[in-house]
Amino acid sequence: MQEQVSGKSFQRQSQSSTPSLPNYQTDGFFDELVDERNLSRPDTEELVSLFNRLPPAELYRKQQAIERSLYQMGITFTVYSDSAGTEKIFPFDVIPRIVSAMLWKHIDAGLKQRIRALNRFLCDIYNEQAIVKDGIIPKELIDSSPAYLKECHGLKPFNDVWCHITGTDLIRDNEGTVFVLEDNLRCPSGVSYVLQNRHVMKRNFPQVFGASRVRPVSDYSWRLFDLLRGIAPPNVENPAIVVLTPGIYNSAYYEHSFLAQNMGVRLVEGRDLVVENDFLYMRTTGGLKRVDVIYRRIDDAFLDPKTFRKDSVLGVAGLMDVYRAGNVSLANAPGTGIADDKVIYAFVPEMIRYYLGEEAILPNVPTYVCQKEDDRKYVLEHMDELVIKAAGESGGYGVLIGPHATKEQRAEYAAKIKADPRNWIAQPTLQLSRVPTLIDGQLEGRHVDLRPYILCRRQDDVWVLPGGLTRVALRKGSLVVNSSQGGGSKDTWVVAEEGQQVASLKNGIKPVPDSEQIDPPRT
């Protein structure tokens, strides 16, 4: 596809007029901004020309100015395992990633297809389990998943939508083909950085941004608010919405407060809420106020100590009773984790075929499921070629990149696989695409992935944010892009097609115009 896009564009101008990065090294990797001759790809001409016009010191100065701006805005995240201090500024790189209109059209269609199938799967697996009975997914893989919650069996969320907000991780290989690396259907984070990254880039690179015909992301908060209003219990006309956070020590607390503020809704903790007579209320200085919709950013296990973990002090006792009674809506529904279990991920193409009768538009990365005897044998014999992943881990933890691992590390993981094969998958080591990144004042290639965000109100009402969080592995040669593992982020510019809205230089993040008239929480 990329080649088709490239070919079409290069017919418009001669090679000699195409801007290039003469001193940049692609090192044989697929680069998102320039081709193997260092010539700009379609839609990146303005950006590459800017690099040639700007003195290196000026680019470095802008990078430092943006970092100061992000620091002053308090854009942080938390690394629990960092003993030196948990709260950090999320590293940001000043070079944006550009996605052509044609490629984005392909991604958009693939993500919409995927979330429709995953929601059908969640409806099915917590009710009839037809996909198991028809032999598409082995029953033991469902029953043995820690993310499959028997407490959710029989649930039927409004409109049959379990996952309203999704963050899907995409990568491109050395041919430029887009693969789905991972689905995130529980509490995907990162969208606040997408909005803030865009805000600072427009301020610092107004000319090239304006000339690049970039699609806007500034209305995400408004669309999220509209979705939450749309999933309220059917008999509620003006629903009260809250964002439920674990609190200030959570790694994504900045994002929780950011989204609540931009939607004009209350940010609450579990202690702010109480259940009475099968309804949910918020404690306020003016007394109890009913709550109709929760955008919850608490993991399933901590959501309700009466139903899940008894020792949870983060959730609301009795919340699941209110949910089952249909008196409150949860986004996302509890139990969605079974659909992003790394083992179940391997079956998503079959899900798409089974539920939709279609072939997957976006392919999975080929995956070996170690629970299968033949797959396990192959994995154990080829550990030096594969990426090994623990099914129950996230954030880049529990990952072994075989070609970069020592013999002792591979032996350690082999023992883990033999001891608990259900918890392990393996994938070939793909050469992730790269984007020029400012390192010590010079442009160097670094590997990236992309997390677009998808909002789903009904099966026929799915919207994909035109952009997403480009995560970049800042360490040379590293394939691990997670922020907890030293990764940073970039702005993602999706180029508009003819007739599509183009982002304005003047408008910032678009807040929801009318905030709810609810008394402030008591705590």
Side-chain angles (χ1 to χ4, degrees):
M1 184 171 189
Q2 179 65 24
E3 289 73 17
Q4 294 173 352
V5 176
S6 300
K8 182 178 179 181
S9 176
F10 278 117
Q11 292 174 4
R12 296 199 303 262
Q13 55 187 330
S14 67
Q15 179 172 316
S16 60
S17 66
T18 304
S20 67
L21 294 177
N23 299 319
Y24 178 71
Q25 302 294 324
T26 59
D27 298 322
F29 293 102
F30 182 91
D31 195 279
E32 303 272 350
L33 253 59
V34 297
D35 65 13
E36 65 280 3
R37 299 163 295 177
N38 280 8
L39 298 173
S40 62
R41 294 191 183 278
D43 302 313
T44 72
E45 294 93 340
E46 290 289 341
L47 187 62
V48 172
S49 295
L50 175 74
F51 296 152
N52 291 325
R53 293 196 305 270
L54 272 182
E58 178 62 12
L59 202 56
Y60 183 63
R61 189 195 66 77
K62 285 182 177 290
Q63 173 87 36
Q64 289 185 311
I66 288 176
E67 288 176 351
R68 282 196 299 273
S69 177
L70 294 173
Y71 180 81
Q72 290 165 357
M73 288 191 285
I75 300 173
T76 60
F77 73 106
T78 301
V79 178
Y80 297 126
S81 60
D82 188 345
S83 59
T86 57
E87 197 164 357
K88 292 178 176 294
I89 300 297
F90 195 15
F92 176 75
D93 183 71
V94 73
I95 315 299
R97 179 211 211 126
I98 295 182
V99 181
S100 70
M102 183 178 290
L103 178 60
W104 185 256
K105 194 172 185 178
H106 174 69
I107 291 172
D108 182 272
L111 292 174
K112 288 176 177 173
Q113 178 196 55
R114 195 172 181 94
I115 196 59
R116 283 198 294 268
L118 287 167
N119 269 310
R120 292 278 297 272
F121 166 71
L122 286 162
C123 286
D124 182 23
I125 208 64
Y126 282 112
N127 288 278
E128 294 82 7
Q129 295 201 337
I131 198 168
V132 170
K133 293 172 184 171
D134 286 340
I136 308 300
I137 300 179
K139 181 174 173 54
E140 61 268 25
L141 293 183
I142 301 295
D143 293 342
S144 60
S145 172
Y148 182 68
L149 304 180
K150 63 180 185 305
E151 296 88 350
C152 295
H153 205 266
L155 285 179
K156 289 186 178 295
F158 297 127
N159 300 323
D160 289 336
V161 173
W162 289 66
C163 188
H164 308 89
I165 301 113
T166 307
T168 303
D169 293 343
L170 307 176
I171 58 171
R172 299 182 77 181
D173 68 0
N174 244 13
E175 305 301 320
T177 304
V178 178
F179 292 87
V180 176
L181 181 64
E182 195 168 294
D183 301 290
N184 296 282
L185 289 85
R186 306 182 205 197
C187 304
S189 61
V191 74
S192 60
Y193 304 117
V194 175
L195 305 183
Q196 295 288 28
N197 288 351
R198 175 62 54 83
H199 178 63
V200 296
M201 285 297 288
K202 285 201 297 187
R203 287 172 52 186
N204 284 274
F205 295 94
Q207 289 183 330
V208 69
F209 183 86
S212 296
R213 293 182 47 79
V214 182
R215 293 183 65 183
V217 297
S218 58
D219 61 348
Y220 177 84
S221 301
W222 185 90
R223 286 182 178 271
L224 176 61
F225 179 78
D226 191 49
L227 178 145
L228 296 172
R229 281 182 61 88
I231 65 169
N235 57 346
V236 177
E237 291 186 2
N238 187 27
I241 303 166
V242 298
V243 175
L244 178 59
T245 176
I248 61 172
Y249 297 108
N250 184 265
S251 62
Y253 181 75
Y254 163 76
E255 177 157 299
H256 305 165
S257 59
F258 174 89
L259 291 174
Q261 182 178 14
N262 277 279
M263 289 192 291
V265 305
R266 304 302 178 196
L267 178 66
V268 299
E269 299 181 22
R271 57 185 174 170
D272 297 318
L273 304 176
V274 63
V275 170
E276 288 191 4
N277 300 320
D278 272 348
F279 286 92
L280 180 69
Y281 297 90
M282 179 172 63
R283 297 184 174 98
T284 76
T285 53
L288 295 180
K289 298 292 184 183
R290 184 174 158 181
V291 173
D292 304 298
V293 181
I294 296 179
Y295 178 27
R296 57 101 175 186
R297 298 297 296 261
I298 292 180
D299 290 342
D300 291 345
F302 299 95
L303 202 53
D304 178 359
K306 186 177 170 184
T307 300
F308 302 115
R309 282 184 57 156
K310 308 302 180 191
D311 60 344
S312 171
V313 295
L314 301 176
V316 186
L319 176 59
M320 287 299 291
D321 295 335
V322 181
Y323 183 59
R324 283 185 178 277
N327 293 331
V328 72
S329 297
L330 295 174
N332 292 332
T336 51
I338 182 62
D340 67 19
D341 179 303
K342 290 185 175 62
V343 172
I344 302 303
Y345 153 91
F347 294 88
V348 174
E350 283 84 352
M351 287 181 203
I352 293 172
R353 202 173 297 122
Y354 181 76
Y355 293 117
L356 307 181
E358 302 170 1
E359 292 301 314
I361 296 171
L362 295 175
N364 272 15
V365 176
T367 301
Y368 300 96
V369 176
C370 292
Q371 180 76 355
K372 297 180 179 177
E373 187 174 346
D374 289 348
D375 283 12
R376 182 167 65 251
K377 183 172 184 293
Y378 180 86
V379 170
L380 292 172
E381 290 174 350
H382 297 83
M383 293 193 66
D384 60 337
E385 304 170 11
L386 301 170
V387 177
I388 317 293
K389 295 181 178 179
E393 297 281 357
S394 61
Y397 297 103
V399 175
L400 178 80
I401 298 178
H404 299 172
T406 65
K407 186 177 179 181
E408 290 74 20
Q409 289 172 322
R410 291 197 290 269
E412 177 190 345
Y413 272 70
K416 291 180 179 178
I417 292 171
K418 292 174 184 173
D420 184 13
R422 167 61 177 82
N423 192 43
W424 296 95
I425 64 163
Q427 297 169 328
T429 310
L430 299 184
Q431 299 299 328
L432 273 60
S433 63
R434 302 201 317 187
V435 176
T437 301
L438 193 62
I439 305 291
D440 298 329
Q442 303 294 324
L443 294 183
E444 295 185 9
R446 290 292 186 269
H447 296 290
V448 295
D449 78 352
L450 175 63
R451 176 177 291 183
Y453 295 86
I454 307 113
L455 302 182
C456 178
R457 187 186 337 212
R458 297 185 305 273
Q459 287 285 332
D460 61 349
D461 186 356
V462 184
W463 177 78
V464 183
L465 178 72
L469 185 67
T470 289
R471 300 185 299 178
V472 53
L474 294 174
R475 285 195 289 267
K476 187 173 185 178
S478 174
L479 299 173
V480 182
V481 299
N482 306 77
S483 56
S484 56
Q485 305 286 309
S489 73
K490 290 171 170 285
D491 195 9
T492 307
W493 294 1
V494 172
V495 178
E497 284 186 301
E498 194 68 35
Q500 288 182 326
Q501 184 183 5
V502 175
S504 165
L505 282 170
K506 296 180 180 177
N507 297 335
I509 298 168
K510 180 182 177 183
V512 176
D514 297 313
S515 62
E516 294 175 281
Q517 299 302 308
I518 298 179
D519 294 331
R522 194 175 66 187
T523 54

